[in-house]
Amino acid sequence: MRKEEQGLEGTYNWLEAALPTISGHNASVQLGCILEEVHELLEALQNANVPTIDPNLMSALKTHANIFKKGQNQRVYQALETAWKPPPVRPEVADALADINVTTTSFGRQMYVHTPTALDIVNASNYSKFEDGMPVYDAYGKVAKGRHYVAPDLTSALLPIPNADEKTES
């Protein structure tokens, strides 16, 4: 993997190529994708018998993820079209996004996942969707899996789990 494809900078570079247009539509889709990933995380925990996940929350996340991804909430879509223009909101959005990165890395650590490695593996998989260095899109405008696509194998991002008596509080 080339250096420009690694870490968050690699993700950013991929997104610049895959989604070059800044728009309310793309912002709405990405907001929906954030909610979709939170839903998938909670679903994975639920499948691991974590009993405290409210079914109403699960349903609301899935519903709103789909609404945002499909651009079905026109008020939000239109507001996102110019949300970056009023300066006071941008620092708050930047803070929240940075905090999301920190807290997902922290949660990954608690689950014995080395998230920097996981990100590099997912980046490599995403870059493998490109053909001749360019994204290929499906009929709906989503980046399609190109002919050289390789699914991510996250095994090497999973850290060994120590025995219960070896765990230490930090």
Side-chain angles (χ1 to χ4, degrees), residues 51-111:
T52 59
I53 299 168
D54 182 344
N56 294 324
L57 172 62
M58 297 294 287
S59 176
L61 281 169
K62 190 169 193 168
T63 297
H64 284 83
N66 287 329
I67 287 170
F68 290 129
K69 286 180 2 186
K70 294 176 182 175
Q72 293 173 333
N73 187 329
Q74 288 302 311
R75 267 188 28 231
V76 171
Y77 175 86
Q78 290 168 349
L80 288 171
E81 191 66 42
T82 57
W84 58 84
K85 289 186 180 177
V89 78
R90 291 178 65 209
E92 293 168 4
V93 170
D95 178 63
L97 292 171
D99 287 346
I100 288 168
N101 281 307
V102 170
T103 55
T104 57
T105 300
S106 177
F107 187 75
R109 183 173 174 271
Q110 298 306 311
M111 296 289 107

